[in-house]
Amino acid sequence: MILDSKTPSGPIGDKWDRRKFENKLVSPANRRKFQVIVVGTGLAGASAAASLGELGYPVKVFGIHESPRRAHSIAAQGGINAAKNYRNDGDSVYRLFYDTIKGGDYRAREANVYRLAQVSVNIIDQCVAQGVPFAREYGGLLDNRSFGGAQVSRTFYARGQTGQQLLLGAYQSMMRQVNAGTVTLHQRREMLDLVVVDGHARGIVCRNLVTGELESHEADAVLLCTGGYGTVFYLSTNAVNSNVTAAWRAHKRGAYFANPCFTQIHPTCIPVSGDHQSKLTLMSESLRNDGRVWVPKSQGDRRPPAQIPDADRDYYLERRYPAFGNLVPRDVASRAAKAVCDEGRGAGDSGLSVYLDFADAIKRNGEDTIKARYGNLFDMYARITDENPYQVPMRIYPAVHYTMGGLWVDYNLQSTVPGLFVLGEANFSDHGANRLGASALMQGLADGYFVAPYTVANYLGGTNLPPVKASHDAFGAAKADAQGRIDKVLQVKGTRTVREFHRAIGAICWDHVGMARTEAGLAGAISQIRTLREEFWLDVIVPGDANNLNPGLDYAGRVADYMEFAEVLALDALERRESCGGHFREESQTPDGEALRKDDEYSYVSAWEFKGVGAPPELHKEPLIFEEVHPTQRSYK
Amino acid sequence: MVVKLKVWRQAGPGQPGKLVDYVADKVHPDMSFLEMLDVVNEGLIRKGDDPIAFDSDCREGICGSCGVVIDGIPHGPDKGATTCQVHMRRFKNGDTITIEPFRARAFPVLKDLVVNRSAFDRIIAAGGYVSMNVGGAPDANSLPIAKAMADQAMDSAQCIGCGACVAACKNAAAHLFTSAKISHLGVLPQGEPERDRRVVRMVEQMDREGFGSCSNEGECEAVCPKKISISNIARMNRDFLRAIV
């Protein structure tokens, strides 16, 4: 089946205006007749709930956390892009659009990306009006920094805690609606199923994580804002409770999963220190503005970095990519780091790290300036590694950070299940095969504040939705399914912990579906995943019961879903026999080791339809048509 | 290294709890405190025992989920750090470590080390925002804000809502948390129109939730992982007085 993206016709600059005009509206008095469910309270979820609440829709919000403010958007460090051109350095909506399409290695939908660039300017206005304390210059105007993959300074930031401040802005707006009575919060709830009635998303089944009770909630539209699936790799920069469960359960009810193999490995993370490691910590990409990345020129050079003279250092990013230098996009920087470590030139005891050196920047700008720019990041690094990065270069290594793939959505952010909308990292739409720095926050807020309010209204205003009650059979069936799964995992009473299984699936994914992927490796990974999944259901141990707070049980459900999801992740990587962005197939590279795209064969979105656990999913394609930007070999040289 | 643990175990809300002894062996100095607890839990699970319940998520000090009292100090011995940022190199081989939940009447224990801090959400809902709808914002640079003022707002806005300030206070007061939000919004021109209304509503909600009064002990500031200054409380008191007189 060829998927219809429902992109409006006309010139790219007019498409969104055209769609907004074509859209059905719901009059203010009628809005209170519709029930909207928002799952997830990160940037996308909180901003969508706030916006819909302000418009007068009754909104029920669900989140796994104790408080909506704990969603993982809170941890984003670096910044948020917007085409404000406040620096007079040649930025424009069109340039942000162009950079994002190119940065995504020509695997994103043009119209979505253009809209993202258009509304980026409104996001900054919105956030400043909310009181988000962005960094400012002495003149009182907003400051900007540059980020990887761009030659202009368009990134707005709040120290190294931009995600925190943007999320608190959205959270506070949402809490204002809680106070106003339009939004009701349902925290410590995990969505366990999407309820589909007559082909439309009509509610969810969720579990109260404190009492264990399964609850049914009916709705006229469901918005999934549940983030990415990076924790399938076990170690990642994601929060330890991030998971694919809500998206995966929706997938099993008919929402296609798009481009799961597009995963982002972030180049600047603190290296793994031992087997006990539960997560990896990102060092913001903004550090590459002032830090220089290098390794020793010769293999096995184990001298302390201070004793390695300049002549014996290889500043490999500056050497290979003179135009962008240390600011190449993430996928390029990560692969380059892996390459030098594979050559045996890596730093540290494990040889699995590279230096990020601030000595020159400190000499040039003074330690105080560097401290003002990155103080909290340096503190964080020192706390974790017990080393002082003002004196010794940081050691960094790539780690899983973000997932560009997600549930397939059309231009209206609607999935293949009518009435199910997917926002933020949980959808696939805007970043192609690689996301540029400071674009995730932009997308989450664009979807929530400025896109979904229009497209959800169009759906509600233009669809005949007969009333559905939580007593409907479909809710009962979904509840029974969820209960069956919980009972099953508790009854196994095996010998291996959930964490052991999570580590095992993570190792398979990192080794074979990580930074370098091969035909044989991926095929092998799929059979290993199947075996591991069988072992999980025979040998997992989950103590306790389902009638109270039992974090181990919640964790088991999430890892069980990864046992299924990992297979389509590997399959997608296997079937895409080209390299693009974060997806690097060793068989498809240029003579100098850059990703080699095959536009003739793979210029499409892969959208997988679920056909049963263990059964091969069916591939549907959405052809990518480039009317504005002509795909070329990406060059940052 | 090996450490001995005394951990608060409590089956559910309102039930009796007690300190239970555990031994954590194979502790690596580079482990984080929570990774040490992960390893202890792995051992408990393998024996079919109920693992120790604790909240944590980002594990890099920003989400505010984690928070236990380590040897009597909320978030433990490191200044300006959350529980997840404490590393085992901070302890010595053979140490005995006591681990308890954040205790306050307004933070009921749900299980073991997990408490319910939703009172904080209700304080924010009472007025911790700028009342503006999406769509009406002027250009972001139309209102210049002095850098010093923006920096001051950011200092207060850094609060992660972990509740350590409440746990450290002998009165279980939420003044540092509440005042940080009031200062963040109060020093910015965007927050000025609602300055009086906001402080009154948030302070009243704080009282309704059962938090105590401030008696200027300064314990809150001492344990705050984001080093939020106690001067925010002075500002809140001043604003409150201004608003009601």
Side-chain angles (χ1 to χ4, degrees), chain A residues 455-493:
Chain A
T455 61
V456 172
N458 176 57
Y459 171 78
L460 295 173
T463 313
N464 182 27
L465 294 163
V468 167
K469 286 267 173 277
S471 52
H472 191 282
D473 288 349
F475 282 93
K479 255 184 168 174
D481 272 8
Q483 188 63 51
R485 224 173 141 79
I486 290 166
D487 294 343
K488 190 176 162 194
V489 80
L490 286 171
Q491 278 157 13
V492 179
K493 299 190 194 299

Side-chain angles (χ1 to χ4, degrees), chain A residues 205-331:
Chain A
V205 164
C206 66
R207 181 165 178 268
N208 181 323
L209 300 180
V210 179
T211 64
E213 191 189 345
L214 292 176
E215 303 172 353
S216 297
H217 296 272
E218 70 272 21
D220 298 294
V222 176
L223 278 61
L224 278 196
C225 312
T226 49
Y229 47 85
T231 50
V232 69
F233 292 88
Y234 185 63
L235 287 183
S236 77
T237 64
N238 288 189
V240 294
N241 298 309
S242 299
N243 65 81
V244 80
T245 286
W248 186 247
R249 305 284 170 101
H251 173 63
K252 292 171 95 167
R253 294 285 175 189
Y256 294 178
F257 215 108
N259 296 337
C261 80
F262 291 166
T263 52
Q264 178 161 79
I265 317 280
H266 196 291
T268 52
C269 303
I270 299 178
V272 176
S273 72
D275 293 340
H276 53 262
Q277 194 107 24
S278 60
K279 74 145 319 195
L280 295 169
T281 301
L282 176 78
M283 290 282 100
S284 166
E285 177 168 356
S286 61
L287 292 170
R288 287 197 278 147
N289 274 308
D290 284 301
R292 298 180 70 196
V293 177
W294 64 275
V295 290
K297 271 189 180 158
S298 51
Q299 283 182 2
D301 186 343
R302 285 281 178 264
R303 284 179 288 177
Q307 290 172 23
I308 301 179
D310 233 31
D312 292 346
R313 298 179 178 190
D314 179 12
Y315 294 92
Y316 58 90
L317 288 177
E318 298 169 30
R319 171 173 59 79
R320 286 179 65 180
Y321 308 100
F324 280 70
N326 293 298
L327 287 176
V328 291
R330 293 172 176 177
D331 55 335

